[in-house]
Amino acid sequence: MDSAREAGGAGVAGTVLMRFVWPHGGRSVFLSGSFDRWTRLVPMSPMEGCPTVFQAICSITPGYHQYKFLVDGEWRHDERQPCLTSEYGVVNTVLFTGESNFNPVIGPEVPLGMELDNETFRRVVHVSDNTASDVVTRISEADLQVSRHRISVFLSTHTSYELLPKSGKVVALDVDLPVKQAFHILYEQGIPMAPLWDFSKGQFVGMLSALDFILILRELGNHGSNLTEEELDTHTISAWKEGKAYLNRQIDGHARPFSRRIIHAGPYDNLKEVALRILQNEVATVPIIHSSSEDGSFPQLLHLASLSGILKCICRYFRHCSATLPILQLPICAIPVGTWVPKIGESNRRPLAMLRPSAPLSSALNLLIQAQVSSIPIVDDNDSLLDIYCRSDITALAKDRVYTHININEMTIHQSLQLGQDSYTPYELRSQRCQMCLRSDTLQKVMERLANPGVRRLIIVEAGSKRVEGIVTLSDIFKFLLG
């Protein structure tokens, strides 16, 4: 950086115009600094005749400042300039300015480009309240509202018809199927849930999911259970759903279960309506059902809509114009998204559920139900990520009828996960189990990874140690994007 007198002289009264330069190339470069409290990303422009050098001119107050560059979604600092490393490992470039002709040299005892520790820096200059650990921690309200508005407009003007693949299959189950048979079908088809068809009503009446089988296995594991393994041969899906309604006290004044309509979408519902329907009803997918009759008879099941498919549409649409969504270049640690491991003194944060691989399977199943989460990180004694247990992993117990001769209080999570790691399982599917990201990854990078088929959450880990720092899910992203 240098003085910008030639670019316009002094700035606003009491401020100095400074020219900041990033000489190391890139496609998109932004500047952020303590001179505006880290609240803005200032776009930098390539210099004429030198496309690898980017510059920006800012009006700043005299004194001590820190700044850094966001280059192609990654935070960088100019190693040729004086910089400071905080106790958290954050490296920012330091700037001292008094007059518009200021020459940025700290002094003979501090060589240019040297990383200063906190103690060395305090001997050179008084540190202001904006310490080096104050990386972008706040979002510009204007940028947030602009981004949300543009995403809302896109979702409101595109329909779920656009989610339909060119070819594919959707598995539906008859409500008169035995629960045991349905369990095996989901395992053999490699799917976590399926719509339910009632032949007598001629309608789709609900969904059977992995959560149902978790509840069933818990019932089988209880000594007082009225549902034995032998009864699974004849116990139908409709009977289970009715029994589940009684368990959840979803009954009317005549002790009959409430008749609940299936949560679904039509092919011409806009994507915002579909996303809100998924979030508000806390479901993973909604079937897209179409009927050409006014009374809804002869329905056709077209597809299962999910947040992943909708996110893929957003990423595809904004991929080549990401600059219109300012929040995309912010790191996920700087925005209110995801569930994070509480730090010391942050007892008000929702704790992140984690388990050791030696924990009994029953502990994982209980957590999935009680904590109302879809997955649990499995970690070692240092809280480093080893694997993840998801609701859909329960279907692995259908392999060789394992569920008929196990005790969920004695079987460990590690043993259960081993069942699902068949040698013939494609590597692509296995590698999707434990998708990770860093706290410094941009929102755009996180969204693009979550838009991949089969990926429903990312585990936020510490670089190197893989220590779990948090988890961000598809629901978290949409709750943030839709406000």
Side-chain angles (χ1 to χ4, degrees), residues 229-265:
E229 195 278 323
E230 291 75 16
E231 286 179 310
L232 288 178
D233 286 318
T234 56
H235 202 76
T236 64
I237 297 173
S238 60
W240 159 249
K241 287 292 187 180
E242 186 173 328
K244 181 182 173 184
Y246 283 105
L247 284 174
N248 296 335
R249 302 179 183 274
Q250 296 170 337
I251 54 178
D252 60 21
H254 302 286
R256 292 175 300 198
F258 285 120
S259 179
R260 298 180 62 188
R261 297 188 64 182
I262 183 173
I263 301 162
H264 71 284

XYZ file of all heavy atoms in Angstrom, residues 229-265:
307
model
N -39.736 -60.014 17.214
C -39.141 -60.144 15.884
C -40.017 -60.999 14.984
O -40.129 -60.735 13.784
C -37.733 -60.735 16.012
C -36.877 -60.599 14.752
C -37.177 -61.674 13.721
O -37.433 -62.828 14.125
O -37.158 -61.353 12.523
N -40.651 -62.028 15.564
C -41.513 -62.878 14.758
C -42.693 -62.097 14.199
O -43.148 -62.345 13.075
C -42.018 -64.067 15.595
C -40.960 -65.098 15.966
C -40.040 -64.607 17.075
O -40.395 -63.613 17.749
O -38.953 -65.197 17.245
N -43.176 -61.135 14.977
C -44.320 -60.352 14.528
C -43.973 -59.415 13.373
O -44.851 -58.958 12.656
C -44.891 -59.538 15.695
C -45.660 -60.377 16.700
C -46.175 -59.533 17.855
O -45.367 -58.786 18.434
O -47.374 -59.623 18.169
N -42.673 -59.146 13.205
C -42.275 -58.306 12.076
C -42.613 -58.975 10.747
O -42.756 -58.309 9.721
C -40.780 -58.017 12.128
C -40.297 -57.051 13.211
C -38.785 -56.912 13.165
C -40.940 -55.693 13.060
N -42.730 -60.324 10.753
C -43.075 -61.035 9.524
C -44.478 -60.679 9.060
O -44.768 -60.720 7.862
C -42.987 -62.555 9.743
C -41.539 -63.015 9.807
O -40.749 -62.528 8.985
O -41.220 -63.851 10.662
N -45.368 -60.354 9.991
C -46.767 -60.078 9.632
C -47.193 -58.658 9.977
O -48.203 -58.189 9.473
C -47.693 -61.071 10.368
O -47.449 -60.990 11.782
C -47.435 -62.495 9.894
N -46.422 -57.982 10.820
C -46.769 -56.619 11.237
C -46.604 -55.683 10.045
O -45.505 -55.515 9.526
C -45.860 -56.196 12.388
C -46.421 -55.089 13.225
N -47.418 -55.273 14.140
C -46.102 -53.773 13.270
C -47.694 -54.123 14.735
N -46.910 -53.196 14.219
N -47.683 -55.072 9.585
C -47.632 -54.251 8.376
C -47.171 -52.822 8.679
O -47.178 -52.378 9.832
C -49.004 -54.194 7.703
O -49.918 -53.541 8.585
C -49.513 -55.584 7.358
N -46.824 -52.128 7.608
C -46.423 -50.730 7.749
C -47.563 -49.898 8.323
O -47.353 -49.058 9.207
C -45.983 -50.155 6.386
C -44.747 -50.886 5.867
C -45.693 -48.660 6.500
C -44.342 -50.493 4.453
N -48.779 -50.135 7.844
C -49.931 -49.362 8.334
C -50.158 -49.621 9.812
O -50.502 -48.695 10.569
C -51.183 -49.694 7.526
O -51.498 -51.072 7.633
N -49.950 -50.871 10.264
C -50.109 -51.179 11.686
C -49.040 -50.473 12.513
O -49.312 -49.966 13.610
C -50.042 -52.686 11.907
N -47.820 -50.421 11.971
C -46.752 -49.724 12.687
C -47.059 -48.240 12.787
O -46.894 -47.627 13.844
C -45.407 -49.934 11.997
C -44.397 -48.878 12.361
C -43.886 -47.912 11.576
C -43.822 -48.671 13.656
N -43.023 -47.106 12.270
C -42.954 -47.544 13.562
C -43.935 -49.319 14.890
C -42.216 -47.073 14.627
C -43.204 -48.838 15.959
C -42.354 -47.733 15.830
N -47.503 -47.637 11.689
C -47.802 -46.202 11.699
C -48.914 -45.895 12.700
O -48.880 -44.863 13.391
C -48.212 -45.737 10.294
C -47.058 -45.666 9.302
C -46.086 -44.546 9.675
C -45.023 -44.331 8.618
N -44.086 -43.245 8.974
N -49.888 -46.776 12.784
C -50.978 -46.563 13.747
C -50.453 -46.690 15.172
O -50.776 -45.876 16.046
C -52.090 -47.584 13.496
C -53.333 -47.349 14.349
C -54.479 -48.280 13.962
O -54.581 -48.625 12.768
O -55.257 -48.646 14.856
N -49.600 -47.694 15.400
C -49.018 -47.858 16.727
C -48.118 -46.695 17.091
O -48.075 -46.257 18.244
N -47.407 -46.164 16.103
C -46.526 -45.020 16.343
C -47.336 -43.800 16.747
O -46.915 -43.016 17.615
C -45.726 -44.738 15.071
C -44.745 -43.581 15.179
C -44.042 -43.374 13.834
C -43.180 -42.141 13.841
N -42.569 -41.894 12.513
N -48.519 -43.637 16.148
C -49.386 -42.512 16.504
C -49.811 -42.596 17.966
O -49.869 -41.589 18.670
C -50.602 -42.482 15.594
N -50.101 -43.830 18.422
C -50.461 -43.994 19.835
C -49.271 -43.700 20.742
O -49.421 -43.071 21.802
C -50.971 -45.419 20.086
C -52.390 -45.643 19.608
C -52.642 -46.371 18.453
C -53.476 -45.109 20.308
C -53.937 -46.573 18.001
C -54.774 -45.307 19.870
C -55.004 -46.038 18.715
O -56.290 -46.226 18.268
N -48.071 -44.152 20.325
C -46.868 -43.891 21.120
C -46.615 -42.398 21.263
O -46.200 -41.917 22.313
C -45.657 -44.557 20.464
C -45.516 -46.075 20.609
C -44.347 -46.572 19.763
C -45.321 -46.474 22.057
N -46.892 -41.659 20.190
C -46.665 -40.213 20.186
C -47.884 -39.421 20.639
O -47.913 -38.198 20.523
C -46.248 -39.751 18.781
C -44.930 -40.333 18.354
O -44.102 -40.684 19.196
N -44.704 -40.451 17.053
N -48.917 -40.127 21.109
C -50.146 -39.510 21.596
C -50.829 -38.655 20.528
O -51.446 -37.634 20.823
C -49.875 -38.660 22.846
C -49.250 -39.437 23.995
C -48.969 -38.551 25.188
N -48.321 -39.282 26.249
C -48.937 -39.988 27.191
N -50.261 -40.065 27.176
N -48.263 -40.614 28.123
N -50.699 -39.088 19.259
C -51.354 -38.383 18.156
C -52.723 -39.012 17.899
O -52.980 -39.606 16.858
C -50.476 -38.436 16.890
C -49.148 -37.714 17.061
C -48.214 -37.978 15.913
O -48.329 -38.970 15.200
N -47.257 -37.077 15.714
N -53.595 -38.882 18.911
C -54.918 -39.497 18.835
C -55.983 -38.463 19.153
O -55.733 -37.462 19.821
C -55.035 -40.702 19.813
C -54.645 -40.271 21.240
C -54.154 -41.855 19.350
C -54.774 -41.372 22.269
N -57.197 -38.723 18.642
C -58.289 -37.781 18.875
C -59.047 -38.137 20.148
O -58.638 -39.028 20.911
C -59.226 -37.740 17.659
C -59.847 -39.112 17.367
O -59.878 -39.969 18.289
O -60.317 -39.327 16.224
N -60.164 -37.469 20.388
C -60.943 -37.694 21.605
C -61.563 -39.067 21.691
O -61.985 -39.512 22.770
N -61.616 -39.771 20.562
C -62.166 -41.130 20.536
C -61.068 -42.186 20.514
O -61.320 -43.337 20.147
C -63.073 -41.300 19.309
C -64.204 -40.306 19.264
N -65.317 -40.387 20.092
C -64.377 -39.192 18.501
C -66.137 -39.382 19.834
N -65.579 -38.632 18.866
N -59.867 -41.776 20.913
C -58.716 -42.681 20.984
C -58.365 -43.271 19.628
O -57.852 -44.387 19.531
C -58.968 -43.794 22.009
N -58.646 -42.532 18.583
C -58.271 -42.970 17.237
C -57.135 -42.089 16.729
O -57.111 -40.885 16.999
C -59.463 -42.875 16.277
C -60.566 -43.876 16.588
C -61.758 -43.652 15.687
N -62.303 -42.303 15.852
C -63.525 -41.949 15.458
N -64.311 -42.816 14.847
N -63.942 -40.711 15.643
N -56.203 -42.678 15.972
C -55.074 -41.865 15.485
C -55.545 -40.802 14.518
O -56.471 -41.011 13.733
C -54.175 -42.899 14.780
C -55.073 -44.050 14.451
C -56.114 -44.081 15.536
N -54.904 -39.630 14.609
C -55.237 -38.547 13.685
C -54.907 -38.965 12.253
O -53.905 -39.637 11.988
C -54.444 -37.272 14.030
C -54.941 -36.562 15.243
C -54.109 -36.368 16.334
C -56.238 -36.077 15.299
C -54.557 -35.702 17.470
C -56.696 -35.410 16.431
C -55.859 -35.227 17.520
N -55.737 -38.565 11.347
C -55.478 -38.798 9.933
C -54.676 -37.609 9.399
O -55.205 -36.511 9.266
C -56.794 -38.950 9.155
O -56.538 -39.145 7.786
N -53.391 -37.840 9.123
C -52.511 -36.768 8.665
C -52.266 -36.929 7.178
O -51.953 -38.015 6.695
C -51.185 -36.798 9.414
C -51.324 -36.589 10.899
C -49.966 -36.620 11.573
N -49.097 -35.567 11.103
C -47.808 -35.463 11.424
N -47.264 -36.360 12.218
N -47.078 -34.476 10.952
N -52.385 -35.832 6.452
C -52.143 -35.867 5.017
C -50.640 -35.854 4.751
O -49.859 -35.257 5.495
C -52.796 -34.674 4.334
C -54.315 -34.653 4.458
C -54.919 -33.566 3.600
N -54.676 -33.826 2.181
C -55.072 -33.009 1.206
N -55.711 -31.881 1.499
N -54.811 -33.301 -0.055
N -50.244 -36.506 3.678
C -48.827 -36.562 3.330
C -48.327 -35.173 2.937
O -49.028 -34.401 2.269
C -48.597 -37.572 2.173
C -47.108 -37.675 1.859
C -49.379 -37.171 0.929
C -46.764 -38.760 0.846
N -47.139 -34.848 3.397
C -46.499 -33.578 3.025
C -45.868 -33.781 1.654
O -44.969 -34.617 1.489
C -45.431 -33.189 4.058
C -46.065 -33.064 5.441
C -44.742 -31.888 3.671
C -45.071 -33.107 6.575
N -46.349 -33.053 0.668
C -45.851 -33.244 -0.691
C -45.810 -31.908 -1.432
O -46.206 -30.878 -0.894
C -46.724 -34.253 -1.453
C -48.084 -33.713 -1.794
N -49.097 -33.593 -0.865
C -48.581 -33.241 -2.975
C -50.169 -33.085 -1.442
N -49.884 -32.861 -2.727
N -45.342 -31.951 -2.668
C -45.304 -30.764 -3.520
C -45.787 -31.146 -4.907
O -45.759 -32.324 -5.280
C -43.885 -30.202 -3.596
